[in-house]
Every structure is written in structure tokens, then in C-alpha cells.
Amino acid sequence: MSRTKTPLAWLGGLTPEAFMRRHWQKKPLFVKGAFPDWRSNPPPVTAQEVLSLAKSSPLPARLVRPDRSLLHAPLRARDFPSRKTPGWTVLVQQINTALESADQFLGHFRFLPEARLDDLMISYASDTGGIGAHVDSYDVFLIQAEGQRQWEIACQFDPSLRPNEELKILSRFKAEQKWLCEPGDLLYLPPGVAHRGIAKGNDCLTYSVGFRSANPWDIADEGFALRQELQPEATGQSAKPDPWLQATDDPSRVPDRLMNTLIAQAMAELPSRNELEQACLIKLSEPHPMAMLEAVPDLSMKSFATWLGRQNPLAMQPGARLIRWGNWLAANGEALLLEPGLAKSESLDRLLHCLCTDRKLGKTNCIFANKNPALQEVLYWLYLQATFRV
């Protein structure tokens, strides 16, 4: 049975198809005990790991202190209050790019396109800690990992913000629904729902699975960049001559032919559909700027084949991004146009499905790919984009 048609306990027994139809960007969903093992066993990423990353890694992090002052990474150990001091919280983004356990946890959410999945942010809070009532412009899954947090939400609210605060906190907030979340509980919120999380007791750890969408202006800019790479001689060219221009008694008026000619010339310089497709894939596949992808050794195709034959399994780097559309394959901000026959082959589908869903290739698939020159070349290209762990 397709995964999208399989009921998932952590979605409250909904199939991914039902969840997307009923809740995605429509209404909240609360699931008690979505991850029941967390009540007695450590979650994939612990509070100690999060605090360590906040103090020692280059990941984006913010510390909200008890006096509501805000500090951004790099954070130092002396910046942090005692864990017993109430009212503070630290938020660390892109943890999935640093820890394989976090990267694997995101696999639960890969019934959604990889192009939309962004990161795992984790927040640690002392008693009463939190950032205040706010509104996100993106979907979010909030999963309680350790301790307790009370979540309050409102679909109808006053959007005015507190003055003179760096954080965009609502000045007035009245909760419409409340839940006390314990380890393993999950709350999904669509964009535009006001929410406030307040830690109840010390050592409150909350996972936040966030989503991304490419900015159309960024895609257009990337398309222009590609056009200039392909046609550098066109860059900076002025308008073409206009020997047909006639004398006029009204110099303030732009002649129709001049306006139409200039517009046609400008539109001819716009990125083509093919260039915009490539630009879109590039932007959607770009890892976060702080993703700590390891550089890979410079291997020839022959050396890579030997290396591939020794891998069991072949694992993707935490934070590496791999997406496809039509005949295009994109990884970590680079795009590859596949031959049509290869792009539609079941063999390539099998390999890419395993990589995107499981984040790894088992020994059988590695051996299979190594015996097929076309598949070997695709994996070699992915290797050069730092997609795999070495």
C-alpha cells in the first residue's frame, strides 16, 4: 500500500492523504501521544545536545533572556542563565544539518515534497520561558520532546504588535484553545494561526518542523543569472538602432513603435521557460546557508566506482537536499538535465526514491547502480555536489 494511503499513528490515525485534505493550511491538529516512546525513552535529540549546539556550533540560534532581551549566535556559555532561572529560552535552527538523528526524524514528514520541507528547529526553555504570542507565515509541526509546554492558539486575533521589540510579538492575545503538551504530543498549525507556548517547569524541549517556499523574485533573479551565463555577450547591450524613427511636432509623446519595440526587446531578454525551470529547481534545492555539508575528496569516476562499491549503506549528508522535476535533477543548489530516457527509467526512480525517502542506499542498490553506467554517472554527479557522507 502507498505510504500516502497508510494510516499513521503519529497523525492520530489519519493517512497522509487525509491529513493534507483536512488539515494542511486549513485547520490545526492535536495528537496526544503521537510519539509514545518519548515518555520513557530519550527523544532523537536531547536537551543537552541542543544546549551544546547553541553554545558551540555555527547554527543560527537566538537566546531570549528573562528581561526579554534578545541575543543572536554566536552565543557564549556565559550568555546563558542557569537552567533553574525562570523565563528564558533558546531556539536553534537547522539542527537537521548538524545531527543525523535530527535528519532522520524529518523522514516522518517526507510525505510532503522535499522542496517544501525546510528544517528542524528545537527550542529549550526554563520554567515560564517562551517567545510570546506570535504568528508564522508557514506551516509548522510542534512536537514536545521533554518537559511540558502549554500551547494556546487563536484563529481570530488583533494583529497589532508590541512596540520597540525585536521579536514580532502580538500586543494583545486571547486564547481560543489550549493544550498541555507532554513528551510525544504533537500540534500542527497552518499559517496565520496566532500561538503562544509557555514552558511548565524546567527543561522544556520542543521540536518545530518548518517549511519553505521559494521567493518568486529569487527565482527570477536566478533565471537572469542563468541567461547571462549562457549568453554573456547579451549582458549590458543597449537598445537596437531605430532608423525608422520620424520627426515629431510633440517631443513629449513616446511614439507607439518606439515603445512597442523597446518592450519587445526587453521581453526577449527575459529568462525562457527552460531557464526558469532550472532556476526554480536550483532555489528549491539550496541548503540553508549554515548547513555544514562536508567537502568531498576529489575522485575520478573510476575511483568513485571503487568507493561506491565499498559503501553499505551509502548515506546522504545531514542537511543535503535532493529534488527532481521532469527531466531535471537538483542537489544542493545545482541542477542536472537528464536524458529523457534516463529521467523516465524505473531504475533511476528506484534509486532516487530510496535516497529521498530513506536518505540512504543499501548495499543491493549500490551494487545495482555500479553495474549501470548511466546510474553510476548520476550518483557520481550527486557525489560531486556533496550529497553523500564520505
Side-chain angles (χ1 to χ4, degrees):
M1 182 185 293
S2 167
R3 186 188 181 197
T4 62
K5 301 179 184 296
T6 302
L8 300 177
W10 67 268
L11 279 179
L14 293 175
T15 65
E17 283 185 352
F19 168 80
M20 298 300 289
R21 186 172 61 251
R22 299 178 192 176
H23 293 276
W24 180 256
Q25 299 197 346
K26 300 176 186 71
K27 62 180 181 179
L29 172 69
F30 175 71
V31 180
K32 186 69 178 175
F35 298 94
D37 290 348
W38 295 8
R39 296 175 185 172
S40 54
N41 298 307
V45 183
T46 65
Q48 191 58 49
E49 289 176 299
V50 172
L51 291 173
S52 178
L53 286 171
K55 298 171 186 176
S56 63
S57 79
L59 294 177
R62 293 169 291 166
L63 174 63
V64 183
R65 296 193 288 193
D67 62 359
R68 303 296 301 168
S69 61
L70 182 65
L71 291 179
H72 293 272
L75 300 171
R76 300 161 298 181
R78 66 174 180 265
D79 294 326
F80 287 76
S82 162
R83 290 170 73 162
K84 294 183 179 180
T85 301
W88 65 274
T89 186
V90 63
L91 306 96
V92 186
Q93 296 175 266
Q94 297 294 327
I95 287 185
N96 56 293
T97 68
L99 298 179
E100 185 174 356
S101 57
D103 195 49
Q104 289 294 322
F105 176 73
L106 283 183
H108 288 90
F109 304 88
R110 286 195 167 92
F111 60 84
L112 287 145
E114 182 76 17
R116 289 283 276 113
L117 192 59
D118 190 14
D119 78 328
L120 178 64
M121 181 182 77
I122 303 182
S123 63
Y124 171 89
S126 66
D127 186 35
T128 72
I131 64 172
H134 62 285
V135 184
D136 293 325
S137 59
Y138 50 84
D139 305 83
V140 63
F141 286 91
L142 301 161
I143 307 102
Q144 193 64 20
E146 296 181 15
Q148 295 181 327
R149 186 185 292 271
Q150 179 173 284
W151 283 108
E152 305 171 335
I153 72 167
C155 295
Q156 303 295 324
F157 55 90
D158 181 347
S160 59
L161 303 177
R162 290 181 186 174
N164 305 318
E165 281 204 20
E166 187 174 349
L167 294 168
K168 295 181 178 180
I169 306 303
L170 298 176
S171 58
R172 288 178 290 275
F173 174 76
K174 183 178 180 180
E176 297 170 353
Q177 290 181 276
K178 300 180 181 181
W179 297 273
L180 180 63
C181 290
E182 300 173 304
D185 294 350
L186 174 147
L187 176 63
Y188 161 77
L189 296 176
V193 175
H195 52 288
R196 175 170 61 193
I198 304 172
K200 298 295 183 179
N202 288 322
D203 297 328
C204 170
L205 194 69
T206 306
Y207 291 7
S208 175
V209 177
F211 295 84
R212 64 161 64 179
S213 58
N215 186 317
W217 292 103
D218 289 342
I219 294 173
D221 286 345
E222 186 70 40
F224 276 114
L226 289 171
R227 164 60 62 95
Q228 291 175 12
E229 287 179 16
L230 296 172
Q231 301 182 31
E233 70 282 352
T235 304
Q237 283 190 348
S238 59
K240 296 178 181 178
D242 48 12
W244 41 262
L245 198 61
Q246 299 177 348
T248 178
D249 292 322
D250 186 359
S252 68
R253 187 180 300 278
V254 179
D256 289 347
R257 184 172 179 180
L258 177 59
M259 176 63 74
N260 293 335
T261 298
L262 290 174
I263 290 175
Q265 291 173 1
M267 292 185 69
E269 298 302 319
L270 294 175
S272 66
R273 167 80 187 201
N274 185 64
E275 289 163 344
L276 286 175
E277 288 173 359
Q278 184 178 356
C280 189
L281 267 289
I282 287 172
K283 299 306 293 186
L284 290 172
S285 74
E286 283 181 347
H288 189 274
M290 299 304 294
M292 297 181 290
L293 298 181
E294 297 179 9
V296 297
D298 186 14
L299 297 180
S300 65
M301 173 69 93
K302 182 177 179 180
S303 298
F304 171 77
T306 302
W307 177 83
L308 179 62
R310 296 197 303 262
Q311 302 309 303
N312 182 25
L314 175 65
M316 289 183 64
Q317 290 208 54
R321 298 181 64 84
L322 172 62
I323 62 173
R324 64 183 303 197
W325 183 82
N327 294 346
W328 286 102
L329 177 65
N332 299 332
E334 299 291 339
L336 174 68
L337 184 60
L338 303 169
E339 292 292 332
L342 176 60
K344 296 176 181 177
S345 74
E346 293 183 3
S347 298
L348 184 65
D349 278 348
R350 167 181 158 185
L351 293 186
L352 295 181
H353 177 78
C354 287
L355 278 175
C356 291
T357 305
D358 301 332
R359 307 286 289 176
K360 62 184 178 182
L361 284 182
K363 183 176 182 179
T364 300
N365 277 328
C366 286
I367 294 172
F368 172 74
N370 233 7
K371 293 179 178 179
N372 185 314
L375 298 180
Q376 190 184 85
E377 287 187 11
V378 171
L379 291 182
Y380 181 56
W381 181 82
L382 291 174
Y383 169 82
L384 294 177
Q385 312 315 316
T387 305
F388 304 126
R389 298 187 71 175
V390 179

